[in-house]
Amino acid sequence: WSGGCFPGARLPGRSGILGLQSDGLVDFTGANAGIADITGTGSLILQPITPGTDAQFNGSGAGLNVNTALVNELSPAFTDITIGNGDTGDVTLGAGTLTFQSPTTIQGASIADTATAGSTIISASGQQVTLNAFGAGGAAGTGFINVEGVDTSSTTGDGGSVSFTADLGDITVGAIDASSSTGTGGSVV
């Protein structure tokens, strides 16, 4: 699927890979209140159409724009969610917590947030979270990760693992919580 806004639409996937591409806002909200409108039991891939296009999370800039309302429409049955790819430009995580219910990978040239100090920007109870910054063809000022908080802790099972890869720059994280009150804490790599 390639496109943009489809308020009120449903996208039922199956067991294979479900791919969504857009260089703007992706909107499937409103079809069924309280029910995931983007479903599937395989992988979900969400990425820009045009190489080099930036990705915004809860942002207002140009490029692929993923907001909290869209993340809330994703079924927890996906085996994994990948947002961005090796051709994605800079990824900006805006204000507000993004709560994923499946193992999630976010990738782009660099990854940074605009959150206030001490806030959790990515939450995924008991799920794996991976952030990959590939750099933009080796360009200066890319290939770094700078995020305020990642929380994969769980009160009902094991904590999720957290993984960071920055090909060209530093990794700066305000806080990571991969703990578990009933099981094993997740690894941090």
Side-chain angles (χ1 to χ4, degrees):
W1 175 86
S2 293
C5 290
F6 289 91
R10 295 200 71 221
L11 188 60
R14 296 209 174 24
S15 61
I17 297 171
L18 176 60
L20 303 174
Q21 294 182 306
S22 178
D23 283 345
L25 176 67
V26 179
D27 184 359
F28 278 84
T29 59
N32 294 291
I35 298 173
D37 289 323
I38 303 173
T39 62
T41 57
S43 297
L44 172 64
I45 299 172
L46 180 59
Q47 60 193 22
I49 297 169
T50 308
T53 298
D54 293 341
Q56 309 286 327
F57 289 80
N58 287 331
S60 57
L64 172 66
N65 195 328
V66 178
N67 59 29
T68 299
L70 173 69
V71 173
N72 292 341
E73 294 295 327
L74 303 178
S75 167
F78 284 110
T79 56
D80 58 277
I81 298 169
T82 301
I83 302 171
N85 59 29
D87 292 329
T88 301
D90 293 329
V91 175
T92 302
L93 305 172
T97 301
L98 296 163
T99 302
F100 295 95
Q101 300 179 65
S102 299
T104 300
T105 299
I106 297 173
Q107 46 197 13
S110 62
I111 301 171
D113 69 36
T114 60
T116 56
S119 62
T120 297
I121 199 74
I122 299 171
S123 175
S125 179
Q127 302 296 328
Q128 178 179 343
V129 170
T130 303
L131 301 180
N132 296 325
F134 298 116
T142 65
F144 66 89
I145 296 173
N146 185 354
V147 295
E148 196 50 48
V150 177
D151 183 353
T152 61
S153 65
S154 176
T155 59
T156 60
D158 293 341
S161 63
V162 182
S163 174
F164 302 97
T165 302
D167 286 353
L168 303 174
D170 294 334
I171 298 172
T172 306
V173 181
I176 301 169
D177 184 354
S179 65
S180 172
S181 58
T182 62
T184 304
S187 61
V188 177
V189 181

